[in-house]
Amino acid sequence: MVETFKSKPQNIAIYIGPHLRECHFEVREDVESLFKDYKEFIIKRDGKIFINLQGVIKEQLKKEGVNEKNIEGRGECTFDESKYFSFRRDKPQNVESMIAYIGLIK
Ligand SMILES: [Zn+2]
């Protein structure tokens, strides 16, 4: 948005939708290594590794200049809430979901 639309990061509002939260986003060490720059969002419990993805996203946005007060997100975990699709919970044969959108308000 900054490059294409010349938006100022401080004018961008972000909404992070329901997603696999740190209660269920368990990863192996190879995936953990992808988050090496965000160690504060890696949670180790019961010998397992979990990632606080929302924390990582917020940190990345803040580094880009987005104001933290303009970042919102619901606390819902898609694994815990059956109204949402969860590959890890349902393990379907075919996956037909994933949506993301960006809007521009002039
Ligand atoms: Zn969960």
Side-chain angles (χ1 to χ4, degrees):
M1 292 184 75
V2 171
E3 290 176 16
T4 303
F5 301 109
K6 309 300 179 211
S7 301
K8 294 178 181 166
Q10 65 269 26
N11 293 336
I12 296 174
I14 307 290
Y15 184 84
I16 302 170
H19 59 283
L20 193 62
R21 302 292 303 246
E22 61 273 21
C23 50
H24 284 101
F25 189 19
E26 181 183 354
V27 299
R28 292 182 302 224
E29 289 177 355
D30 58 330
V31 174
E32 176 194 14
S33 68
L34 299 173
F35 296 92
K36 65 182 184 310
D37 295 334
Y38 301 95
K39 292 193 183 308
E40 66 269 40
F41 302 109
I42 297 171
I43 300 137
K44 297 191 177 181
R45 67 174 181 264
D46 303 327
K48 298 176 181 177
I49 307 165
F50 298 88
I51 304 294
N52 174 353
L53 195 56
Q54 183 162 308
V56 172
I57 293 168
K58 282 184 173 180
E59 199 63 26
Q60 290 174 334
L61 290 167
K62 287 193 294 185
K63 284 181 182 172
E64 293 298 325
V66 174
N67 192 326
E68 187 168 8
K69 70 177 175 50
N70 292 339
I71 305 171
E72 291 184 56
R74 295 178 74 164
E76 294 176 301
C77 174
T78 50
F79 188 102
D80 293 322
E81 299 287 333
S82 61
K83 62 186 171 190
Y84 297 118
F85 169 80
S86 172
F87 181 83
R88 290 198 180 193
R89 182 191 61 228
D90 302 333
K91 299 180 177 40
Q93 291 284 328
N94 299 309
V95 177
E96 298 180 4
S97 71
M98 181 61 189
I99 187 168
Y101 58 91
I102 297 173
L104 181 63
I105 301 171
K106 291 187 175 185

